[in-house]
Amino acid sequence: MSTREDLIADAFVELADCLVDDFEVTDLLHRLIDHALRLLDADAAGIMLADATGTLQVVASNSHAVEALELFELQADAGPCVDCFRTGEPVTPADLATVRAWWPTFAPAVEAAGFSSAQAVPMRLRSEVIGALNIFRKGEGALVGGDLKLARALADVATVALIADRTMAARQVLADQLQQALNSRVLLEQAKGMLAQRAGVGVDEAFTLMRGHARRSGHGLREVAAAVVAGRGVLPT
């Protein structure tokens, strides 16, 4: 059985691979979420990135419920990701009472989704903040000490991979990557719905099926989603 140290090492190796290899943005973002869930005692996670106008957009999450919660956070203009993006610093309320005090509009949605903790760490390269990683827990407790450092490090590595200067200015790379992520999110939602209806499963399970197929086949998640849509809701063989 892998130790936590092994899992941490694997996480950084996997994320760092995106610095040198061609990668699919959607896969990178969901890998970051997977590692956050595995290493940070998180029950759910999501990612928001800023578009070319500086407006936050939901680009990835581990479930449909979390995506809805993050969209509500943007609509309410209140919550950990929003504050984290504005300040460039982690937002880690210690308990549910603090969540309620800081975000009275957002807190009821957090509780209705079954969470008692909502936190965020910035996705930042030096002084440039491009978004935030949202962490939700069913139990109370802030990310502190080594866990907070780990969360920031995971987000930092993913950020570097997103905006590493390749053949054009980093800002243009970021704009292109974000547009790709947004386009992929629309495609993924369509594929999840079609596969769920065809297979008679929930949309979250349909997403799990697509991710599993992508990893087994060595194809990108966006590529698998496109094949599901083209195949009218059937996983590619």
Side-chain angles (χ1 to χ4, degrees), residues 34-225:
D34 285 347
H35 293 308
L37 294 174
R38 188 176 298 115
L39 297 171
L40 300 174
D41 191 27
D43 294 294
I47 296 171
M48 296 184 190
L49 295 178
D51 61 20
T53 68
T55 303
L56 281 176
Q57 304 282 351
V58 176
V59 293
S61 62
N62 73 305
S63 73
H64 184 72
V66 173
E67 180 178 333
L69 183 58
E70 290 200 305
L71 288 171
F72 181 82
E73 181 178 354
L74 290 180
Q75 184 179 26
D77 195 29
C81 259
V82 173
D83 288 357
C84 182
F85 176 66
R86 286 172 176 164
T87 65
E89 296 296 332
V91 176
T92 56
D95 49 36
L96 186 55
T98 306
V99 173
R100 291 169 178 159
W102 287 0
W103 311 298
T105 305
F106 179 59
V110 173
E111 295 181 73
F115 302 118
S116 298
S117 173
Q119 308 175 66
V121 293
M123 296 189 68
R124 184 176 69 183
L125 178 61
R126 293 184 288 274
S127 63
E128 183 171 13
V129 182
I130 68 168
L133 168 66
N134 228 345
I135 299 293
F136 298 98
R137 289 171 166 173
K138 293 180 180 179
E140 296 184 325
L143 284 168
V144 294
D147 281 349
L148 179 56
K149 291 179 181 178
L150 177 57
R152 297 192 69 168
L154 290 170
D156 286 348
V157 173
T159 302
V160 171
L162 280 172
I163 63 176
D165 193 0
R166 293 175 179 165
T167 59
M168 59 187 77
R171 186 172 296 278
Q172 183 59 47
V173 171
L174 174 59
D176 293 345
Q177 300 281 33
L178 176 58
Q179 189 58 54
Q180 182 183 340
L182 291 172
N183 292 343
S184 294
R185 176 171 165 262
V186 172
L187 180 63
L188 285 174
E189 290 302 312
Q190 185 179 4
K192 283 193 291 185
M194 293 179 68
L195 182 59
Q197 183 177 28
R198 185 69 178 264
V201 299
V203 290
D204 290 341
E205 185 176 348
F207 181 58
T208 299
L209 290 173
M210 286 195 297
R211 290 207 68 197
H213 182 82
R215 290 190 171 186
R216 289 191 301 271
S217 65
H219 293 104
L221 182 57
R222 190 180 191 282
E223 183 180 355
V224 171

